[in-house]
Amino acid sequence: MKQLAIISGKGGTGKTVITSAFASIADNKVIVDCDVDAANLHLMLNPKILEHNIFKSGFTASIDRSKCTRCLKCLKNCRFNAITKNLTIDSIACEGCAFCYNLCPVGAITLEENIAGEWFISETKYGPFVHAKLGIAEENSGKLVSLIRKQAQTLAKEQNKNLIIIDGPPGIGCQVIATLANIDSALIVTEPTVSGLHDAKRVIELAKHFTIPIMMLINKYDLNLAMTKNIEQYCEQQNIILVGKIKFDTDIVNAVTNKKPIMNIANIKLKEQIQKIWHTTYNNL
Amino acid sequence: MIIAVASGKGGTGKTTISTNLALSLTDQVQLLDCDVEEPNAHLFIKPEILEKHTVTIPVPQIDRAICTLCGKCAKICAYNAIAIIAKQAMVFPELCHSCGACKYFCPAGAIKEVNHEVGFTELGSKNNIQFIHGQLNVGKAIAIPVIKAVKNHIDKTKTVIIDAPPGTTCPTIEAIKGSNFCLLVTEPTPFGLNDLILSVATLKKINIPYGVIINRSNLGDNSTEQYCNQEDIPILMRIKFDKKIAAAYSNGTPLINIYPEYRQHFGDLLKKIKTIVETP
């Protein structure tokens, strides 16, 4: 079984559009949206939810005022400023370290497991889809990413799917690290802008750090042809496979606006181009 | 006044707004780039960097000569950052949240805290702008300490502009909390709207007033406008998509350099924000 993740470093370069296009072309696969913080792939795939699960993770402390002797040990030792002067817990600041719980001499502090989000197994026109929704202002997004990726792998084994296509989150932090763990290849979608390239380089460094093979795709390449050339040269120097480049095309905006994968909406030329990009990506996986 | 610039979705134009707002103002401005995973504001401001500081977090170090392998540290660590493996206490600094519990509870006093580098901050300036940003070292998972280090430089006597990371989880909240106002930058597509709704829920939860900027307002559909009207959310600015703007952005050229009239628009934006913040 092969696993491909689509990442970018910078947000808004076109990860989800590309993932949804691949999802509509590729055979025999499971699709996963690992951008659990601001998930969008479901908007393109119109999933029918088959299974709905709660994601419990981490703890939040609470203080039982009737038992509390106001010794202030908790307040003095909390490094997250999560205990207010009135001895209440600021649940957003609390990182669930349980220091206060272990410290309280009268057992006035209890820990409650957080409901940090939800995750789903769905059916789509394009195959099974595992996705999630982290709760507002919740933590542990990396854990949720790992969890849904594991579910996708189980599903792929059960249903004899030989490919997992993952829509990744932006950035280089915990969610991205959890997305990259043990995948076969990462496709980096970039754009010919100073920030696109700057961010792509950081995420390439991250992939190299975890020895993940990478490929690159330049989206909206005609916005800056000189910069596109720079990126092409960079790929050549770094021995990175450039799977293709896509023009800025209003058909792509229309696809997003109409919530349909590009392959259902685009002009023939763009469709052929994306087909080709998919085959190059798949052959190098 | 502290103004955060945020968005649920990435790539909607946070950096365009925060940098052009900073460049348009004539008073003393601080621009803080808190997107420490992928900082970009410096590419547009091009500040002269004057100082660099490493950001470290305290992580446990176990003195094996004293450690009795009782396992208490591993048991109380909520993040599994300490484990007893093959008769040795192992520390995994990437998982540590620096709560200090292990050191406090070690019965043998075998734990001390040492500095573990996770990133750096840089301070610089450009005309009336004091520029500060941070970078998370590649391979480190937790951005919060670097964001805190950037925000430690906040000078409330200035107009402070914070460029926040995308999303609605801990790094975004760390960047925007304590602000007087939050500008939510979005684009009029179903993706933009979906993530705007998440951002609005986040801001309601942490109780910070907000307004919306619609970028590329001539693309997509009008459901974002409808949503803002229904929810009574002020739309403070609209910027049209224009290939000239996109091309300038691609080269690191600020919007106000190609369309100088935007200086006035950004000045007006600040006035609108002030009116909202000061209205009880």
Side-chain angles (χ1 to χ4, degrees), chain B residues 122-257:
Chain B
E122 284 181 323
L123 283 75
S125 71
K126 177 72 178 272
N127 304 329
N128 55 324
I129 302 170
Q130 190 196 4
F131 179 83
I132 303 147
H133 74 169
Q135 278 201 20
L136 179 70
N137 287 352
V138 171
K140 303 290 176 204
I142 306 173
I144 308 293
V146 186
I147 297 171
K148 280 187 176 158
V150 173
K151 290 185 77 177
N152 273 341
H153 295 284
I154 286 180
D155 174 356
K156 284 187 179 168
T157 64
K158 296 182 178 177
T159 300
V160 183
I161 300 165
I162 293 176
D163 192 359
T168 64
T169 57
C170 20
T172 308
I173 294 193
E174 191 62 45
I176 62 184
K177 75 181 186 193
S179 302
N180 302 94
F181 191 82
C182 185
L183 280 170
L184 293 173
V185 187
T186 190
E187 56 179 37
T189 64
F191 290 4
L193 179 56
N194 181 71
D195 300 350
L196 175 64
I197 294 169
L198 298 175
S199 298
V200 166
T202 308
L203 287 165
K204 279 185 180 160
K205 191 160 176 177
I206 60 175
N207 209 8
I208 291 174
Y210 52 90
V212 162
I213 293 181
I214 303 181
N215 195 9
R216 306 180 194 115
S217 57
N218 50 335
L219 299 180
D221 58 22
N222 66 351
S223 48
T224 305
E225 295 261 353
Q226 282 174 358
Y227 165 77
C228 291
N229 289 338
Q230 271 165 21
E231 298 292 316
D232 221 1
I233 300 167
I235 299 173
L236 301 174
M237 196 180 212
R238 291 174 185 83
I239 300 175
K240 281 189 177 170
F241 174 81
D242 165 338
K243 278 211 168 168
K244 225 171 121 189
I245 297 178
Y249 174 88
S250 74
N251 284 317
T253 306
L255 170 62
I256 57 164
N257 290 17

Side-chain angles (χ1 to χ4, degrees), chain A residues 9-12 16 37-40 42-44 73 77 79-80 92 95-97 99 102-103 133-134 136-139 170-174 177 191-195 198-199 202-203 205-206 209 222-224 227 248 253 256-257 259, chain B residues 8-11 36-40 42-43 58 76 78-79 97-101 104-105 113 135-136 138-141 166-170 173 189-191 194-195 198 201-202 205-206 219-221 241 243 246-247 249-252:
Chain A
K10 179 172 168 10
T16 302
D37 179 1
N40 286 148
H42 64 283
L43 297 170
M44 299 296 263
K73 261 186 148 178
N77 284 289
R79 288 191 182 170
F80 306 111
I92 290 175
E95 293 200 15
C97 72
F99 196 169
N102 287 308
L103 200 58
K133 196 176 169 193
L134 196 70
I136 295 297
E138 283 296 344
E139 295 171 15
I172 61 160
C174 60
I177 292 173
E191 57 180 33
T193 64
V194 281
S195 41
H198 174 273
D199 296 355
R202 275 170 70 77
V203 85
E205 211 187 313
L206 182 73
H209 183 88
D222 53 328
L223 286 183
N224 188 329
M227 185 76 72
F248 175 83
V253 183
V256 173
T257 310
K259 303 181 192 173
Chain B
K9 178 169 164 21
V36 303
E37 290 180 45
E38 297 289 19
N40 288 148
H42 65 286
L43 301 170
I76 59 158
Y79 311 107
H97 284 226
S98 304
C99 72
Y104 185 94
F105 287 109
E113 290 181 299
Q135 278 201 20
L136 179 70
V138 171
K140 303 290 176 204
T168 64
T169 57
C170 20
I173 294 193
T189 64
F191 290 4
N194 181 71
D195 300 350
L198 298 175
T202 308
K205 191 160 176 177
I206 60 175
L219 299 180
D221 58 22
F241 174 81
K243 278 211 168 168
Y249 174 88
S250 74
N251 284 317

Side-chain angles (χ1 to χ4, degrees), chain B residues 73-90:
Chain B
C73 54
K75 199 175 150 215
I76 59 158
C77 178
Y79 311 107
N80 303 315
I82 306 183
I84 311 286
I85 300 168
K87 294 195 172 172
Q88 261 186 13
M90 302 270 292

Side-chain angles (χ1 to χ4, degrees), chain A residues 22 38-39 42 59 66 75 105 113 122 134 137 142 147 150 179 183-184 202 205 219 224 229 235 261 267:
Chain A
F22 285 179
H42 64 283
F59 293 89
S66 66
L75 179 66
E113 197 169 13
S122 296
L134 196 70
L147 187 150
K150 214 172 146 190
T179 302
I183 60 168
D184 295 278
R202 275 170 70 77
E205 211 187 313
N219 194 11
N224 188 329
K229 194 140 205 184
C235 288
N267 55 75

